[in-house]
Amino acid sequence: MKKKFVCPHCKGVLNPNVKIILLADTGEARGLVLLSPQPGNYKYLCDSSLEKHLRHGETIDFACPVCHADLMAASDPSLAALELHMESHPVRRVEFSRVFGTHATFVISEDEVDAYGEDADGYDPMNFFGA
Ligand SMILES: [Zn+2]
């Protein structure tokens, strides 16, 4: 079943093929990054002009390549948020760490949070249910 990752602001599809395409801004460099649609897989692709500015522990600003909206999560500014649309499933939220090298991803539905990545333990899942 096809998973569609969607911008929460403009509803633009961010994985027209397989990988999720986001705009990344380190403060020193901007570029497109390709992320895996598989939660917990932290492999990424980007151009060397961006990659040389990616440093462990630094926060990256992720933006939608369609509408340029900031993807910072409302629940926690250290996370970025996307929507996950799948046929015959309610819309879920996918939130992942904006800190380079921190591996934490959450797939959030009405009544459940699935955590992925070895750094996910540092987060309080209760935060994800805030109004
Ligand atoms: Zn957008």
Side-chain angles (χ1 to χ4, degrees), residues 15-89:
N15 63 329
N17 184 249
V18 174
K19 303 274 190 195
I20 303 165
I21 306 171
L22 298 178
L23 257 176
D25 189 336
T26 66
E28 293 168 302
R30 300 181 82 193
L32 294 170
V33 286
L34 300 180
L35 302 178
S36 169
Q38 208 183 343
N41 179 343
Y42 296 98
K43 290 203 188 101
Y44 67 92
L45 292 167
C46 70
D47 185 66
S48 60
S49 62
L50 176 65
E51 182 148 38
K52 66 185 177 195
H53 292 283
L54 295 174
R55 287 185 199 95
H56 236 77
E58 276 189 19
T59 301
I60 300 168
D61 289 326
F62 288 103
C64 169
V66 182
C67 72
H68 292 191
D70 192 328
L71 296 171
M72 189 192 289
S75 62
D76 185 328
S78 72
L79 300 170
L82 307 175
E83 288 182 4
L84 174 57
H85 294 223
M86 268 171 85
E87 256 172 61
S88 70
H89 272 79

Side-chain angles (χ1 to χ4, degrees), residues 60-130:
I60 300 168
D61 289 326
F62 288 103
C64 169
V66 182
C67 72
H68 292 191
D70 192 328
L71 296 171
M72 189 192 289
S75 62
D76 185 328
S78 72
L79 300 170
L82 307 175
E83 288 182 4
L84 174 57
H85 294 223
M86 268 171 85
E87 256 172 61
S88 70
H89 272 79
V91 174
R92 285 174 284 177
R93 266 187 303 146
V94 175
E95 299 192 354
F96 60 93
S97 176
R98 298 169 55 213
V99 179
F100 187 69
T102 296
H103 293 166
T105 305
F106 305 93
V107 180
I108 303 152
S109 63
E110 282 279 284
D111 48 10
E112 206 175 18
V113 176
D114 291 322
Y116 301 85
E118 68 269 20
D119 300 312
D121 287 351
Y123 288 86
D124 177 2
M126 294 316 288
N127 285 350
F128 298 115
F129 295 109

Side-chain angles (χ1 to χ4, degrees), residues 7 9-12 14 64 66-69:
C7 169
H9 305 279
C10 71
K11 309 296 177 192
L14 302 173
C64 169
V66 182
C67 72
H68 292 191

